[in-house]
Amino acid sequence: MNKNIDILENPALKLENLYIAYGKTDKYAVRDVSATIKKNAITAIMGPSGCGKSTLLRAINRMHQLYPDVKTQGNIYLNEKDITKMSAIHLRRKIGMVFQRPNPFPTMSIYDNVVAGYKLNGIRMKKNERDAIVEQSLISVGLWNEVKDSLRKKGTFLSGGQQQRLCIARAIAFKPDVILLDEPTSALDPIATSKVEDLLVQLKKDYTIVLVTHNMSQAARISDYSMFMYLGDLVEYGKTKMMFTNPRDKKTEEYLTGKFG
Amino acid sequence: MGQKNNKKMETLKLKDNSAYRTSKDKVFLVGVIIVSIITISPIVLIIGKLVWEGIGQINFSFFTETTPSTFEAMTAVANNEVIPGGIVNGILGTLLIVGLASVIAIPIGILVGLFLYENQQSRYAGLIRSLSDILQGVPSIVLGLIAYLWVVKNIVHGYSALAGSVALAIMMLPLIIRSTEETMKMIPETLKEAALALGVPYYKVIARVLIPSGFSGLATGILLSVSRILGETAPLMLTTLGNPMVNWDITAPTSAVPLLIWNFYNDPNMLSLIWSSSLFLMGFVLTLNIISKRIVAKI
Amino acid sequence: MKSDTITRYILFISSLVVLLVSAGMVFSLVGDAVPVFEKFGWRFIISTDWNPTEGRESYGALPFIAGTLSTSLLALLICLPMAFATSLFIAEYFRTSYVSSVLGTMVDLLAGVPSIVYGLWGFYTLRPVIVSLGLDAQGYGIFTAGLILAIMIIPYATSISSQIIAMVPTELKEAAYSLGATRYEVIKYVVLPNARSGIVASFILAFGRALGETMAVTMLIGNTNIIPTGLFSTGNSMASVIANQFGEADGLKMSALIAIGLLLFVITGIINALGKMVIKRMSR
Ligand SMILES: Nc1ncnc2c1ncn2[C@@H]1O[C@H](COP(=O)(O)OP(=O)(O)OP(=O)(O)O)[C@@H](O)[C@H]1O
Ligand SMILES: [Mg+2]
């Protein structure tokens, strides 16, 4: 069965026969995954806990490279370019990441958190340029009005939802091509969740978004494409609407109807 | 569209500095590795030197005979012979002093540790905990002075093993208190409650439940604190003085291995005996250290 | 029920031992230091005169305070980069690997070496090296003593720092990596700022250790009762003057040595309390 239904023209990301294993065991956390991911769309990755969603996502910005035990095989292309041929610095500059638990840098102010990417990368800017980036990024995550008077306060003083939006601002301040989000709303309450969801829908105008989620209705609400993974395999991948109304694989159907997961 | 242009520009800017940053990263790593190797090199040099200089003198008489007089040592060195005698007076003295210190410090330390564990939140317990922390930071030479003022001047009226033991016991006490409290905190609360609910008297809960289930933690704390005081010299200089003979009287001056090293380190005739004594002391301390780590690993 | 009350009393009474020992310690030190303070007043602390000749007795502790501070500061200075690099090695760069545990064990071993053995090794290995490098003719003095002190306190600072560095949350480091930072930049902008107060505390506590170290310093500092005039000048530290002159001391001189012990007790107490406070504030 062809798992990869949509062979897209000019994709943002292309995954090719990806295998990922933790440690020396031959048990793969991700097994033979191939897919193309569309530009300026939200692609959701779903599946039961432990099926390899995070593992797959973290391969895209080569996070696994930080841990020598993690073995990655296969190819990933960003805008047709092999990511292993780029420097990790350059790649991560073009692919932002947002984590499950909000993790603003606790020693930095809100302002500094937004421009942390520039600081970390040793990019010097004039103050007005920096101010502009901070304002623009906070406006795009809808946080500007809430924090504009307390930019010098520590980011950790914000509520969980605000912190998560700050982390998204930190990722987009750096103007990447792709944003990877690993269950960004699982630690948030429903109101904060819906704010983040609205934000993601707005952001897809400018960015390609890959979203790992546990929450099927979230995927249904905001994603354009969905992947369903099971035990390391990419079981099904297609337009979200199609998948939810007419899943082609039995496992997908069982998952979507809540039989497991 | 404007934003897109902006984006490309900065990407280029970044490309420029990535090689520089990567090399800076590498240089820093190499620096860290080199400095770390330099940092640990003394342990290799010290153990190497001790073994090299000291192993030859470690023989049967080393453990059975008392320290030779300088004259005997000088004659032996002049004739290119092994120095006669050993350090049995020091070894037994160390055992006496450290043993006595343990007898004083271990029971009290465990009881105080239990007290702190029982009264976690009380302010008095907080005071005791802070005092114990302060005691732990007191330089050992000051503890020597204290034991001198208390025991040598006012109790025994002379230099004695007991005075040295008091100084070392004060050193051990905070270590045992802390390790007892930490160990007790690790024991599941339910274990204790179950026993208490059965109406078992509290001292039996301590003796049959708390101490046995925290045994390895307590043992580790005790071994570590013993290994800490084993090589202490400064307090003994002020309290036990030294003794060329084997002595079992706790009110009389007593020798100890570190004291022997201090007394003779500058005497060229005794030097090889001093290296052996250091090797022995070091081996003893490190063995205790390693055993206590083993116990931790087993838990 | 009655036995429980007795048990609690026994626990309480044993806690009094700590109270009594601490109070008694202060009481005894102060009590026996009184004669010298009565005679010389504050001059005892600021005078450089140390003359036990009967009739012209005069005691000032300044040279020893200077000796203790200069050797300990030098030790701290050497300790800073060494302990820092080693704790990064153990807790950041190689944190889960075998080499890290080997290095950690060696640091533990260094911490276990008795002071007298450091002194002996310093006397017969380090000192000749300093002489043969032409740094100093005899090899005794502030530099040699400071160096051996540094070797002694590095493991202490390293083991605290590396525990603190290991506590910096992985998710913060990953956030920085995901923004394109190199490891060096992660250390500089994330690990260090987050571990800063703990690292500072580890150095304060290590400094406190250095202040009270006796044997190795006594064997290497040269034992002259002067204010050190330079890096290779000889001197005497507070601990080493007690160790050296205790044997032949009585009367006013004994009181002077005990007063030095009291000063040492107070100074190390303050430094340790400071370090503990920083750590406590951080864990909150
Ligand atoms: N650091 C690790 N070391 C070893 N195995 C790991 C590690 N991280 C994940 N795994 C294993 O890899 C498999 C996939 O894990 P992964 O975290 O990708 O799952 P997930 O789909 O993101 O799950 P969740 O929904 O719970 O986040 C699991 O079997 C997990 O046990
Ligand atoms: Mg996950």
Side-chain angles (χ1 to χ4, degrees):
Chain A
M1 189 188 71
N2 187 2
K3 291 168 182 171
N4 197 356
I5 311 302
D6 300 89
I7 307 290
L8 299 162
E9 286 297 315
N10 192 15
L13 285 166
K14 185 160 144 214
L15 318 179
E16 228 175 55
N17 306 106
L18 211 55
Y19 287 83
I20 305 166
Y22 291 98
K24 288 181 186 68
T25 53
D26 287 330
K27 196 182 156 289
Y28 288 100
V30 164
R31 197 170 337 132
D32 197 14
V33 169
S34 300
T36 49
I37 289 168
K38 191 170 159 32
K39 269 193 182 134
N40 292 30
I42 299 181
T43 304
I45 307 178
M46 289 181 297
S49 186
C51 68
K53 306 182 293 291
S54 304
T55 307
L56 178 63
L57 193 75
R58 290 160 62 87
I60 298 175
N61 66 347
R62 278 169 58 192
M63 219 50 168
H64 293 312
Q65 179 190 320
L66 299 173
Y67 305 96
D69 284 350
V70 188
K71 304 275 180 297
T72 311
Q73 293 163 30
N75 298 310
I76 300 176
Y77 301 90
L78 170 67
N79 297 328
E80 324 257 287
K81 269 183 276 175
D82 186 346
I83 63 163
T84 53
K85 302 246 158 67
M86 309 178 192
S87 78
I89 297 175
H90 187 62
L91 173 72
R92 295 189 189 134
R93 155 84 175 76
K94 301 195 120 202
I95 302 184
M97 188 168 218
V98 176
F99 297 78
Q100 182 165 359
R101 278 208 302 171
N103 56 358
F105 297 119
T107 52
M108 296 183 192
S109 65
I110 294 173
Y111 185 101
D112 288 339
N113 260 291
V114 177
V115 285
Y118 294 91
K119 189 175 180 195
L120 284 164
N121 283 275
I123 299 169
R124 297 227 175 75
M125 283 179 300
K126 293 199 196 76
K127 183 165 185 315
N128 57 348
E129 281 178 316
R130 216 170 32 222
D131 289 346
I133 289 172
V134 169
E135 182 170 351
Q136 205 185 355
S137 312
L138 287 174
I139 288 174
S140 14
V141 298
L143 208 53
W144 178 249
N145 286 328
E146 292 161 55
V147 304
K148 66 170 181 252
D149 299 321
S150 46
L151 290 174
R152 292 290 155 201
K153 276 203 192 145
K154 293 261 165 349
T156 38
F157 283 128
L158 299 172
S159 74
Q162 288 174 321
Q163 286 190 23
Q164 195 60 300
R165 281 184 283 151
L166 177 60
C167 292
I168 299 176
R170 178 175 71 187
I172 64 173
F174 219 28
K175 303 201 178 76
D177 293 342
V178 179
I179 307 176
L180 310 174
L181 302 101
D182 193 348
E183 302 186 34
T185 60
S186 66
L188 306 183
D189 62 51
I191 295 172
T193 299
S194 79
K195 279 194 181 165
V196 170
E197 287 179 2
D198 294 347
L199 167 61
L200 293 179
V201 173
Q202 277 176 29
L203 288 177
K204 77 176 181 189
K205 284 203 305 290
D206 299 315
Y207 305 93
T208 303
I209 294 174
V210 184
L211 167 76
V212 168
T213 177
H214 241 117
N215 183 333
M216 278 174 269
S217 56
Q218 180 171 65
R221 273 197 300 276
I222 63 173
S223 73
D224 303 297
Y225 292 82
S226 291
M227 292 184 188
F228 172 67
M229 290 184 72
Y230 186 69
L231 296 178
D233 293 315
L234 176 57
V235 175
E236 187 164 341
Y237 175 32
K239 284 219 164 75
T240 303
K241 276 204 200 90
M242 297 278 282
M243 196 196 271
F244 275 80
T245 50
N246 190 11
R248 276 161 298 179
D249 191 284
K250 196 141 186 315
K251 273 269 173 271
T252 319
E253 187 176 342
E254 279 172 355
Y255 180 73
L256 292 176
T257 51
K259 293 233 170 68
F260 68 92
Chain B
M1 207 55 222
Q3 198 189 350
K4 287 269 167 195
N5 284 338
N6 196 358
K7 206 193 270 185
K8 289 287 167 285
M9 219 178 67
E10 274 157 34
T11 309
L12 281 179
K13 221 183 345 180
L14 186 77
K15 238 179 190 167
D16 287 340
N17 74 1
S18 80
Y20 162 72
R21 287 163 55 205
T22 315
S23 48
K24 192 157 149 187
D25 185 52
K26 292 223 172 77
V27 169
F28 188 73
L29 171 61
V30 171
V32 162
I33 293 176
I34 292 174
V35 175
S36 301
I37 291 173
I38 296 175
T39 302
I40 51 144
S41 58
I43 191 67
V44 180
L45 298 176
I46 290 172
I47 293 181
K49 178 85 175 169
L50 290 182
V51 171
W52 179 256
E53 301 275 359
I55 198 84
Q57 189 75 31
I58 293 194
N59 46 28
F60 186 66
S61 63
F62 180 80
F63 296 102
T64 53
E65 292 177 25
T66 54
T67 36
S69 69
T70 314
F71 178 74
E72 287 168 326
M74 199 167 73
T75 329
V77 169
N79 297 331
N80 248 337
E81 288 165 4
V82 174
I83 302 174
I87 58 162
V88 69
N89 50 333
I91 296 175
L92 296 180
T94 289
L95 291 182
L96 175 67
I97 297 166
V98 170
L100 191 55
S102 307
V103 168
I104 302 171
I106 293 172
I108 300 180
I110 290 180
L111 288 177
V112 180
L114 283 170
F115 175 80
L116 294 183
Y117 165 69
E118 282 306 319
N119 302 279
Q120 291 293 331
Q121 303 302 330
S122 101
R123 279 176 71 187
Y124 172 72
L127 172 73
I128 298 294
R129 202 175 284 118
S130 310
L131 287 178
S132 159
D133 275 358
I134 292 175
L135 277 185
Q136 197 184 333
V138 176
S140 61
I141 185 111
V142 175
L143 297 179
L145 282 177
I146 292 296
Y148 172 84
L149 294 177
W150 290 354
V151 185
V152 176
K153 261 178 74 178
N154 289 313
I155 300 180
V156 180
H157 301 290
Y159 294 99
S160 61
L162 178 64
S165 300
V166 166
L168 297 187
I170 303 178
M171 244 183 117
M172 276 179 93
L173 196 58
L175 299 171
I176 299 206
I177 292 176
R178 159 147 309 196
S179 76
T180 306
E181 194 187 358
E182 298 295 321
T183 307
M184 291 303 138
K185 278 189 197 160
M186 307 248 262
I187 300 174
E189 203 51 39
T190 45
L191 214 60
K192 192 180 112 187
E193 276 159 12
L196 282 175
L198 291 174
V200 181
Y202 189 52
Y203 72 90
K204 276 194 185 157
V205 175
I206 293 178
R208 303 257 171 86
V209 179
L210 291 183
I211 292 187
S213 38
F215 181 76
S216 49
L218 295 180
T220 306
I222 290 171
L223 286 182
L224 276 180
S225 62
V226 169
S227 84
R228 189 74 65 78
I229 62 165
L230 212 51
E232 271 303 325
T233 318
L236 302 189
M237 288 163 62
L238 315 190
T239 51
T240 68
L241 202 62
N243 190 334
M245 309 309 291
V246 173
N247 168 53
W248 289 112
D249 178 1
I250 61 167
T251 61
T254 308
S255 185
V257 179
L259 268 184
L260 288 176
I261 302 174
W262 163 250
N263 286 334
F264 297 115
Y265 81 94
N266 219 348
D267 180 343
N269 296 314
M270 296 285 253
L271 196 53
S272 57
L273 196 59
I274 289 314
W275 284 116
S276 314
S277 308
S278 304
L279 177 62
F280 169 74
L281 183 64
M282 180 86 175
F284 202 171
V285 171
L286 294 189
T287 309
L288 279 186
N289 247 311
I290 290 167
I291 294 177
S292 64
K293 296 270 153 64
R294 275 284 152 73
I295 300 179
V296 177
K298 256 196 188 159
I299 313 174
Chain C
M1 271 306 103
K2 192 147 168 287
S3 78
D4 285 6
T5 327
I6 296 174
T7 312
R8 282 179 209 289
Y9 266 115
I10 291 176
L11 292 186
F12 173 73
I13 289 168
S14 54
S15 78
L16 288 178
V17 172
V18 175
L19 201 63
L20 289 179
V21 166
S22 316
M25 198 180 267
V26 176
F27 181 79
S28 295
L29 286 175
V30 171
D32 281 68
V34 158
V36 84
F37 277 111
E38 264 177 358
K39 179 121 195 245
F40 301 109
W42 290 109
R43 261 193 304 136
F44 177 70
I45 294 175
I46 52 172
S47 160
T48 61
D49 209 22
W50 185 267
N51 186 357
T53 320
E54 218 158 315
R56 274 183 310 206
E57 272 183 310
S58 167
Y59 298 106
L62 193 61
F64 315 118
I65 298 174
T68 293
L69 288 182
S70 54
T71 46
S72 302
L73 281 175
L74 179 64
L76 182 63
L77 220 62
I78 301 171
C79 169
L80 279 169
M82 312 287 281
F84 181 57
T86 313
S87 39
L88 281 181
F89 186 109
I90 294 174
E92 172 59 34
Y93 278 106
F94 301 93
R95 57 187 305 175
T96 51
S97 75
Y98 181 69
V99 275
S100 157
S101 67
V102 168
L103 205 81
T105 308
M106 292 180 111
V107 170
D108 284 348
L109 291 184
L110 268 177
V113 177
S115 176
I116 184 96
V117 174
Y118 274 116
L120 190 72
W121 181 76
F123 192 85
Y124 285 107
T125 303
L126 206 55
R127 200 172 56 87
V129 169
I130 285 171
V131 172
S132 64
L133 286 177
L135 293 173
D136 185 63
Q138 294 293 315
Y140 295 106
I142 302 299
F143 181 76
T144 319
L147 194 57
I148 202 84
L149 266 183
I151 299 175
M152 297 174 75
I153 63 173
I154 283 170
Y156 193 59
T158 304
S159 78
I160 304 176
S161 294
S162 53
Q163 283 171 32
I164 304 274
I165 287 175
M167 270 162 35
V168 174
T170 315
E171 47 199 79
L172 291 182
K173 289 189 266 181
E174 288 192 345
Y177 284 120
S178 79
L179 291 166
T182 62
R183 191 152 205 168
Y184 167 76
E185 287 153 353
V186 171
I187 289 171
K188 182 171 169 193
Y189 293 112
V190 178
V191 175
L192 272 194
N194 279 286
R196 195 183 51 211
S197 42
I199 294 176
V200 169
S202 81
F203 286 114
I204 296 177
L205 292 173
F207 181 67
R209 271 284 163 96
L211 292 173
E213 268 305 332
T214 313
M215 299 320 297
V217 176
T218 306
M219 290 159 88
L220 293 169
I221 197 170
N223 302 309
T224 52
N225 304 336
I226 54 164
I227 293 191
T229 52
L231 203 51
F232 294 99
S233 157
T234 54
N236 224 340
S237 76
M238 298 164 85
S240 66
V241 74
I242 301 175
N244 263 312
Q245 309 210 353
F246 188 84
E248 67 251 28
D250 52 13
L252 199 57
K253 185 171 180 188
M254 179 60 95
S255 172
L257 292 180
I258 289 169
I260 290 175
L262 176 64
L263 288 179
L264 188 58
F265 174 79
V266 171
I267 296 174
T268 49
I270 292 172
I271 296 289
N272 283 330
L274 198 69
K276 295 254 158 70
M277 214 171 68
V278 176
I279 287 206
K280 219 174 239 162
R281 257 222 331 245
M282 200 184 57
S283 62
R284 239 191 281 139

